[in-house]
Amino acid sequence: MKVYKAINAVQAELAKTGIAKDRQAQGYKFRGIDDVFNAIAPLLAANQLCILPRMLSRHAAERVNKNGTQITFVTVDAEFDFVSAEDGSKHTVRTFGEAMDVSDKATNKAMSAAYKYAAFQSFAIPTE
């Protein structure tokens, strides 16, 4: 099963550099989904590892924020198959994503959060 060798190779490379919390919003620093994609995409390709998402469920609720603005709160339950392109072996990671948005992006944000944390946890990505 070459999937674990590939996961380990990606993890070893990310351990050298990590992904710094270079972005800032609402008074705190964070690593965005673009930072994760930019860091892991070349490593996934080099190690013949694919990450295939699957949303198991989505729950949405309308709320009103402290300013009186309607906001959509979304939670997704997601699985990500880490698949070796070399031998087809796979490992599945399950995680959740939550997000809020005043427009139409709450689901996209929740899916991005689920992917981001699946990557953080699976590859043990350090912040620096």
Side-chain angles (χ1 to χ4, degrees):
M1 292 185 38
K2 296 189 178 187
V3 68
Y4 296 111
K5 183 176 180 180
I7 290 170
N8 180 253
V10 172
Q11 186 178 40
E13 286 300 313
L14 289 167
K16 295 175 187 174
T17 59
I19 301 173
K21 291 184 176 184
D22 288 338
R23 298 178 187 264
Q24 187 164 351
Q26 300 176 345
Y28 70 95
K29 292 183 176 184
F30 68 97
R31 302 174 281 183
I33 188 65
D34 292 337
D35 300 318
V36 174
F37 284 148
N38 290 337
I40 71 172
L43 300 175
L44 295 174
N47 291 284
Q48 297 183 308
L49 183 64
C50 303
I51 300 178
L52 306 174
R54 179 174 44 262
M55 298 303 120
L56 302 174
S57 67
R58 174 190 175 271
H59 300 285
E62 298 299 322
R63 298 181 180 173
V64 177
N65 69 14
K66 65 181 177 181
N67 298 327
T69 305
Q70 181 111 358
I71 192 164
T72 303
F73 179 79
V74 172
T75 302
V76 295
D77 181 358
E79 286 184 345
F80 298 88
D81 290 333
F82 288 60
V83 182
S84 168
E86 216 174 324
D87 69 352
S89 59
K90 76 174 183 175
H91 178 82
T92 301
V93 172
R94 187 171 181 181
T95 189
F96 296 88
E98 297 178 338
M100 294 182 285
D101 193 72
V102 296
S103 185
D104 62 346
K105 302 290 185 267
T107 300
N108 297 357
K109 290 177 178 180
M111 292 183 340
S112 292
Y115 188 102
K116 187 168 76 167
Y117 285 98
F120 287 160
Q121 293 172 351
S122 298
F123 299 122
I125 301 172
T127 54
E128 297 180 25

